[in-house]
């Protein structure tokens, strides 16, 4: 199969579109982040890559706490807005009509309307160049009660939003199921 080189760049799919929350000067602020992912299971940790000038990063450094909010496809407008304006100039919470709540860390603001919220304490901050990789220990997880089937969070009810990155540059939901995990591979075993 022929391959085309497209330069060294962080190109992977899918990319999430999370809302990262932090208190900046005691006021809740949220920014959109696609460069984020699970970092460890025990203890549970998540990473997010924030560019140096982000107002949100200022709040993360101030309190050493932050939140990762998983929005649903219904929140595309708010997700995009939080990714194109800075909290240094506007109150994004007011514009987006976010209902903000706090958990046990008390300084990591979370968005009630997002189906999943991870409340995190900063464990590491790595200055990697253009971005600071913030690695947070997940201290608590909140899931909207209407997003469960039985005892488990149900991704079909959560309906997470993804970002397709450039050049298509759109928000999308999950596609159709392809195969059963930890099962379809057995056909090759
Ligand atoms: C879809 C999308 C994904 C983004 N992902 C990131 C990211 O992973 N890291 C980052 O630093 N900025 C990212 N941004 C840009 C920030 O969200 C944007 O600069 C925002 O205005 C910063 O807000 P703040 O200054 O209030 O912190 C993204 C923007 C969009 C629209």
């Amino acid at each position: 199969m022929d391959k085309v080189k497209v330069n060294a760049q962080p190109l992977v799919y899918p990319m999430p579109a999370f809302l990262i929350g932090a208190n900046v000067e005691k006021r809740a602020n949220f920014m959109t982040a696609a460069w984020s992912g699970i970092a460890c299971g025990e203890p549970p940790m998540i990473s997010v890559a924030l560019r140096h000038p982000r107002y949100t990063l200022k709040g993360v450094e101030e309190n050493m706490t932050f939140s990762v909010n998983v929005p649903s496809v219904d929140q595309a407008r708010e997700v995009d807005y939080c990714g194109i304006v800075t909290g240094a100039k506007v109150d994004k919470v007011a514009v987006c009509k976010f209902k903000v709540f706090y958990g046990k860390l008390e300084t990591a603001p979370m968005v009630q309307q997002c189906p999943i919220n991870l409340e995190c304490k900063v464990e590491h901050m790595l200055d990697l160049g253009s971005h600071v990789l913030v690695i947070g220990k997940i201290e608590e997880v909140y899931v909207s009660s209407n997003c469960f089937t039985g005892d488990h969070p149900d991704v079909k009810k959560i309906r997470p939003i993804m970002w397709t990155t450039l050049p298509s540059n759109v928000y999308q939901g999950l596609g159709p199921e392809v195969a059963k995990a930890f099962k379809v591979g057995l056909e090759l075993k």
Side-chain angles (χ1 to χ4, degrees):
M1 191 193 299
D2 287 344
K3 291 280 182 182
V4 177
K5 290 187 199 167
V6 295
N7 298 322
Q9 54 175 307
L11 181 68
V12 292
Y13 299 101
M15 282 199 198
F18 295 148
L19 286 173
I20 309 303
N23 266 7
V24 196
E25 289 162 2
K26 300 202 163 40
R27 192 166 54 83
N29 186 58
F30 295 90
M31 65 161 269
T32 307
W35 295 7
S36 177
I38 295 163
C40 188
E42 290 162 23
M45 295 206 196
I46 190 160
S47 70
V48 55
L50 303 180
R51 264 190 196 274
H52 287 274
R54 302 298 182 235
Y55 189 61
T56 306
L57 179 59
K58 209 175 139 184
V60 173
E61 288 166 340
E62 250 174 57
N63 303 291
M64 297 302 271
T65 61
F66 65 99
S67 70
V68 177
N69 303 266
V70 180
S72 82
V73 287
D74 298 330
Q75 294 169 302
R77 221 167 43 138
E78 290 80 0
V79 165
D80 201 48
Y81 179 77
C82 288
I84 54 182
V85 301
T86 177
K89 297 215 171 116
V90 294
D91 182 350
K92 295 191 228 182
V93 170
V95 173
C96 294
K97 299 192 170 62
F98 286 150
K99 287 184 192 146
V100 174
F101 73 101
Y102 291 87
K104 61 182 185 186
L105 296 176
E106 295 178 356
T107 51
M110 292 172 274
V111 178
Q112 186 87 40
Q113 293 99 322
C114 290
I116 304 181
N117 320 91
L118 311 186
E119 189 183 14
C120 306
K121 194 159 95 185
V122 174
E123 287 283 317
H124 305 282
M125 291 183 103
L126 302 173
D127 184 349
L128 300 179
S130 60
H131 289 66
V132 177
L133 188 71
V134 180
I135 301 174
K137 182 157 170 272
I138 301 164
E139 295 287 340
E140 192 53 270
V141 178
Y142 306 85
V143 180
S144 299
S145 56
N146 61 355
C147 290
F148 281 81
T149 297
D151 290 339
H152 300 286
D154 185 340
V155 73
K156 288 190 180 134
K157 295 180 179 170
I158 292 161
R159 298 186 303 138
I161 188 169
M162 290 177 294
W163 176 51
T164 63
T165 195
L166 300 168
S168 51
N169 203 19
V170 293
Y171 297 103
Q172 264 186 227
L174 289 178
E177 282 179 17
V178 174
K180 285 281 174 209
F182 296 96
K183 192 153 185 209
V184 66
L186 296 177
E187 292 169 15
L188 296 177
K189 207 175 171 192

